[in-house]
Amino acid sequence: MNAECGVRSAESTDFSQFERDGFQIIHSLAPAGECDRLSSELTQLFQKQLQTAKVRIGGVRNLLRTNTLVSQFAKSTGFLSLLQKATGSAVFPVRSIFFDKNPEANWLVPWHQDLAIAVAGKLEVPGFSGWSVKDGTVHVHPPEEILAGMITLRLHLDDCDASNGALKVIAGSHRFGKIPTAEIARWTPPEKQTVCEVPKGGALLIRPLLLHSSLPAEGPCHRRVLHIEYATQKLPSGLEWLEN
């Protein structure tokens, strides 16, 4: 797979919306053929994990370490240049997850911010709290400034609209830091919600602190997304990103 081929040029993209709203849709990022190669390989991997999983799962985690195709794609100079322009800083990928919302895994995601990061191991460091282990991976809530510098790229491998679980967001909510769970309801009235419909080969860029959610698909088929998180800084005091 040529991860550079067809990636939208950073020079031709205006990121003023991303800076203002904390999200932006890029309607054409990767060619259909590259999406098909990714979706074919990752769907097969997902199906294998489904056969051995003890509980129902919605995707495959930690792909930067385990899948060469995803790792090459995430580290391609085209993507890194695009995201550097969006953030104003050099970025590097720190985690990748493949999600497949389908008839057997058609879930609801309530309104939330992405407050946890995946790390290589637990170390007691000031400002890092809320340690947990999910699917065998250590997670922690880092200081707000680390989250504020991150960006997530959600590459859509299928067409995604309001009928099949498109992400909903609250524009500009990332600018208000960590929002207490008890206050989220007042931030998310229907008139403030934006549905992010993204075509196959397009991408949604979001800040982790942006409030977002998604509904189950109305007529579930496949809604496959390659989710890649990028950071702009190393972690302090010996802490390490899980997949860097």
Side-chain angles (χ1 to χ4, degrees):
M1 175 179 180
N2 181 357
E4 307 301 330
C5 180
V7 174
R8 182 166 177 162
S9 169
E11 290 74 19
S12 65
T13 305
D14 177 11
F15 287 106
S16 56
Q17 181 199 346
F18 181 75
E19 183 176 354
R20 180 185 70 243
D21 295 339
F23 78 97
Q24 186 163 334
I25 296 170
I26 300 177
H27 287 90
S28 179
L29 183 70
E34 294 186 357
C35 292
D36 290 342
R37 283 190 284 275
L38 281 164
S39 60
S40 176
E41 181 164 325
L42 296 177
T43 299
Q44 290 181 48
L45 182 60
F46 177 48
Q47 292 299 322
K48 289 181 180 178
Q49 289 201 8
L50 278 176
Q51 294 171 10
T52 59
K54 296 180 180 179
V55 296
R56 181 173 293 180
I57 61 174
V60 183
R61 297 178 179 273
N62 306 334
L63 288 167
L64 292 175
R65 293 190 304 176
T66 62
N67 189 276
T68 301
L69 192 63
V70 170
S71 179
Q72 291 177 344
F73 204 64
K75 296 175 182 178
S76 71
T77 55
F79 277 148
L80 295 179
S81 176
L82 188 80
L83 298 176
Q84 179 171 340
K85 184 178 179 185
T87 62
S89 302
V91 302
F92 52 94
V94 294
R95 179 165 62 165
S96 183
I97 309 170
F98 170 69
F99 293 115
D100 185 6
K101 188 173 285 191
N102 60 68
E104 287 73 42
N106 186 24
W107 62 89
L108 165 73
V109 180
W111 287 102
H112 69 288
Q113 298 171 297
D114 290 336
L115 300 179
I117 60 172
V119 294
K122 183 176 180 179
L123 288 174
E124 295 295 344
V125 177
F128 289 76
S129 61
W131 293 91
S132 63
V133 178
K134 294 184 284 187
D135 296 329
T137 298
V138 178
H139 290 74
V140 65
H141 289 202
E144 188 176 300
E145 58 267 22
I146 290 177
L147 294 170
M150 294 178 67
I151 183 173
T152 298
L153 183 150
R154 292 171 55 90
L155 176 66
H156 283 257
L157 306 178
D158 301 292
D159 290 331
C160 181
D161 60 24
S163 70
N164 69 341
L167 217 64
K168 298 188 295 181
V169 302
I170 303 297
S173 55
H174 67 297
R175 299 196 303 268
F176 296 87
K178 296 181 180 181
I179 298 172
T181 301
E183 297 181 13
I184 287 179
R186 73 178 181 86
W187 281 83
T188 56
E191 64 272 15
K192 289 188 176 181
Q193 300 174 15
T194 300
V195 179
C196 298
E197 297 186 320
V198 185
K200 175 179 177 178
L204 173 64
L205 307 181
I206 66 170
R207 289 290 195 185
L209 289 172
L210 187 77
L211 282 167
H212 57 284
S213 73
S214 71
L215 294 174
E218 296 172 6
C221 49
H222 280 290
R223 190 224 62 178
R224 289 167 290 200
V225 173
L226 181 59
H227 168 113
I228 309 172
E229 298 170 9
Y230 292 82
T232 55
Q233 57 187 296
K234 301 292 185 179
L235 297 176
S237 304
L239 273 177
E240 295 183 0
W241 295 98
L242 175 67
E243 296 195 272
N244 180 35

